[in-house]
Amino acid sequence: MSQLISLLPQTPREILERSARPQTLARPTFALYTLGCKVNQYDSHQIARMLVAQGFRRVEFKEVADLYVIDTCTVTAEADKKSRKAASRARRNNPDAVVAVTGCAATKDATQFEKAAPGALVLNNAQKFELPQRAISRLQSLENWAKNYEALRAQTGSEPIPSPTRERAVLKIQDGCNHKCSYCIIPRVRGESVVKTRAQLMSEARAFVFEGARELVVTGVSMGDFSQRGRRELEGWSGQFSGFNAALNELLVAVSTIEGLERVRTSSLDPADVDEEWLQVVSNTPKICPHIHLALQSGSKTVLQRMRRRYSPQTYLKWAKRWRELGAKNGLTTDVIVGFPGETQSEWDETMDLCREARFSSIHVFPYSPRPNTFAANHLAELGGLVEPQTQQKRVVQLIALGKELSGEFAAQFLGEECEILVETRENGWIEGLLPNYLRAKIAVGERKFEAGDLVTFRATRWNEEKLEGELR
């Protein structure tokens, strides 16, 4: 079911300029809504590129469009709900549009979208990159639409209309997962692990930079698999790395040398796959952002065993402390599942204690929800049963409060200092973006002109519990 696709630019700069000229015919429109992980962000971006290459123009999801694409997530029950709501909203936006639903929630259960968006085109992950052509086939059944589209294609020929990459692009190096965490539905909906070759990835990374990306986020469902399988092709690489993550480290460093690229960010790595060499590379290599995301899930040894995770709290804490030794200002973010079946008060206390000791810069809190046909969902009684909703909610509130406290402590060391963000948005005289260590910042700029992708230096003056605020240098 897992699949990898590489779409490289087919357009020289003169065609980019030519295709930017006004067309005499209305271009068909599409809107895109992506839920979930960075792997989904990559997949959605590729679908957008394919549609733009077929003559489509992207509009906001709230607008009327010919085609709505929803790339869904099913990691929690709430993600399922948001996916259905997005499909329903698309149908309301334009009852005559084609609504195309794909991704993990569509793979797990296609029928849930029949009620949310009657007549929707629902494709599983294995069919995801067939979506543009299949959606166009549906649209062509509409006579007036088909005539306009055929005339447009005759006018533009086979020249792809460029899909500009914004400030940040996601580089998917791997998909699928062979691990069997007891709570996780991802192996079922994304299939077995597959990895790309270094040659594929370097070509794709250069393509993103060519299109305008200033930062690349290297990601995968189980990135340690790239290291494990990538060792086979290490011949011809620099040979400067020898640890478990040698292939991943070689790739990160190689990507960081691409001309025109300002930042490389690494996505989540399983704590069981962390090694000293990887920490050193991420912490000390120019252009690689000093931020790592290690999903803790629980700080209790017994809960981790029930979750079928591959590390202990002691191992996790060893790497968290080592990361802090390499740089006090290095970002360390995590995920925690609250209320896993059978979680006792003492087990919960262990999680809270570990979070304090690890000194996370940010904690993403996920209340446990049973996912269909996972081991945990099928063996609730054996695992100790569901935690009472009131208890689970109380723990969620506690962990969110602790997360805010730890984020504030981390952010405090930047107050009064000069920092740099990569601009993502501009609105009402403010720009917003991320620091290299994954802190978010919001800066008042007045009438000064900044665009997405600009690197802006500012002095941090305040932490507002969610973002740094500051003033231009």
Side-chain angles (χ1 to χ4, degrees):
M1 183 182 299
S2 304
Q3 60 175 325
L4 299 174
I5 184 170
S6 295
L7 297 178
L8 306 183
Q10 310 165 52
T11 320
R13 292 195 182 279
E14 58 266 30
I15 294 180
L16 291 180
E17 295 169 0
R18 186 162 63 249
S19 59
R21 297 171 187 166
Q23 305 291 336
T24 58
L25 293 167
R27 287 167 59 188
T29 56
F30 77 98
L32 178 62
Y33 192 90
T34 305
L35 297 101
C37 63
K38 288 183 173 64
V39 173
N40 251 20
Q41 293 174 25
Y42 170 90
D43 293 345
S44 293
H45 183 66
Q46 299 294 43
I47 289 172
R49 295 172 88 195
M50 295 164 79
L51 285 168
V52 170
Q54 292 295 320
F56 280 70
R57 175 174 61 87
R58 185 171 179 177
V59 298
E60 295 293 327
F61 198 78
K62 62 185 178 182
E63 297 180 41
V64 174
D66 297 302
L67 168 64
Y68 293 90
V69 178
I70 300 101
D71 200 351
T72 64
C73 175
T74 190
V75 72
T76 64
E78 183 63 22
D80 275 343
K81 181 179 177 182
K82 289 181 178 178
S83 298
R84 291 191 299 269
K85 287 181 68 175
S88 179
R89 188 161 79 245
R91 178 59 74 216
R92 291 197 304 272
N93 286 351
N94 183 4
D96 297 324
V98 169
V99 177
V101 184
T102 188
C104 293
T107 303
K108 184 202 70 173
D109 178 16
T111 61
Q112 64 181 311
F113 296 102
E114 293 175 1
K115 183 177 180 180
L121 172 65
V122 184
L123 303 175
N124 61 35
N125 277 326
Q127 302 167 314
K128 181 176 282 191
F129 296 112
E130 300 172 17
L131 187 151
Q133 286 304 325
R134 292 177 68 166
I136 289 171
S137 294
R138 283 212 178 181
L139 286 165
Q140 285 176 328
S141 66
L142 307 173
E143 183 179 359
N144 291 336
W145 190 95
K147 287 180 179 179
N148 181 74
Y149 182 69
E150 288 169 7
L152 175 72
R153 299 310 290 153
Q155 177 178 299
T156 61
S158 59
E159 296 176 0
I161 298 172
S163 175
T165 299
R166 295 179 58 222
E167 70 287 346
R168 179 178 296 108
V170 178
L171 181 67
K172 183 171 74 171
I173 67 174
Q174 178 276 338
D175 202 349
C177 185
N178 296 337
H179 306 302
K180 304 295 180 184
C181 298
S182 65
Y183 56 85
C184 187
I185 197 172
I186 298 305
R188 178 185 158 203
V189 295
R190 283 201 171 265
E192 294 184 353
S193 179
V194 291
V195 300
K196 287 181 181 176
T197 67
R198 178 180 186 265
Q200 285 177 306
L201 291 165
M202 291 304 297
S203 294
E204 198 167 347
R206 293 187 185 98
F208 283 135
V209 176
F210 174 83
E211 292 173 357
R214 307 295 301 281
E215 175 180 305
L216 289 182
V217 183
V218 177
T219 193
V221 175
S222 182
M223 288 211 303
D225 291 357
F226 179 83
S227 294
Q228 195 169 25
R229 300 182 188 190
R231 289 197 221 182
R232 302 172 191 165
E233 56 171 67
L234 279 173
E235 294 181 12
W237 290 32
S238 73
Q240 67 184 107
F241 304 110
S242 58
F244 174 80
N245 289 301
L248 178 58
N249 292 332
E250 289 274 7
L251 178 69
L252 291 171
V253 172
V255 169
S256 74
T257 65
I258 296 174
E259 185 177 355
L261 184 64
E262 298 293 339
R263 291 180 179 179
V264 179
R265 193 179 295 280
T266 182
S267 189
S268 179
L269 188 67
D270 192 306
D273 295 330
V274 174
D275 62 4
E276 173 71 18
E277 205 170 55
W278 179 72
L279 294 180
Q280 291 278 357
V281 166
V282 179
S283 181
N284 299 323
T285 306
K287 293 191 178 181
I288 297 182
C289 296
H291 163 250
I292 60 174
H293 184 87
L294 305 179
L296 173 63
Q297 308 304 12
S298 175
S300 165
K301 179 180 178 180
T302 48
V303 173
L304 288 175
Q305 289 171 342
R306 297 201 298 276
M307 288 179 169
R308 297 183 172 179
R309 297 290 280 175
R310 300 183 296 131
Y311 54 88
S312 66
Q314 292 74 23
T315 299
Y316 188 101
L317 201 53
K318 177 185 78 171
W319 293 126
K321 289 182 175 180
R322 179 59 182 144
W323 181 243
R324 285 279 172 254
E325 290 172 359
L326 290 173
K329 295 180 179 179
N330 289 351
L332 174 60
T333 58
T334 196
D335 302 329
V336 176
I337 296 174
V338 180
F340 188 75
E343 183 181 72
T344 65
Q345 184 60 46
S346 62
E347 289 172 332
W348 173 246
D349 291 341
E350 290 171 349
T351 295
M352 292 288 285
D353 290 343
L354 192 150
C355 289
R356 291 189 186 93
E357 197 167 355
R359 294 165 35 225
F360 294 115
S361 52
S362 181
I363 302 174
H364 303 156
V365 182
F366 297 91
Y368 172 77
S369 59
R371 309 314 296 134
N373 297 316
T374 58
F375 181 88
N378 293 340
H379 297 81
L380 286 174
E382 179 183 333
L383 294 173
L386 289 173
V387 173
E388 288 291 328
Q390 300 90 332
T391 301
Q392 184 185 48
Q393 183 57 31
K394 179 181 177 182
R395 293 173 183 173
V396 166
V397 171
Q398 289 174 343
L399 188 56
I400 289 175
L402 176 60
K404 288 183 177 180
E405 177 186 331
L406 295 174
S407 294
E409 291 175 1
F410 180 73
Q413 60 189 320
F414 298 94
L415 297 179
E417 294 196 354
E418 286 192 352
C419 306
E420 181 185 77
I421 65 165
L422 181 70
V423 177
E424 298 174 6
T425 60
R426 178 193 172 102
E427 187 174 0
N428 299 326
W430 293 80
I431 57 173
E432 188 169 313
L434 289 175
L435 277 66
N437 57 28
Y438 211 66
L439 276 179
R440 184 161 290 280
K442 183 178 181 180
I443 307 158
V445 295
E447 299 300 317
R448 294 186 61 174
K449 303 297 183 184
F450 294 103
E451 297 180 354
D454 288 343
L455 290 170
V456 176
T457 301
F458 72 102
R459 187 173 68 87
T461 57
R462 178 175 176 266
W463 172 251
N464 68 9
E465 293 194 350
E466 292 183 350
K467 304 167 189 172
L468 283 172
E469 294 182 2
E471 54 193 28
L472 291 176
R473 185 178 62 173

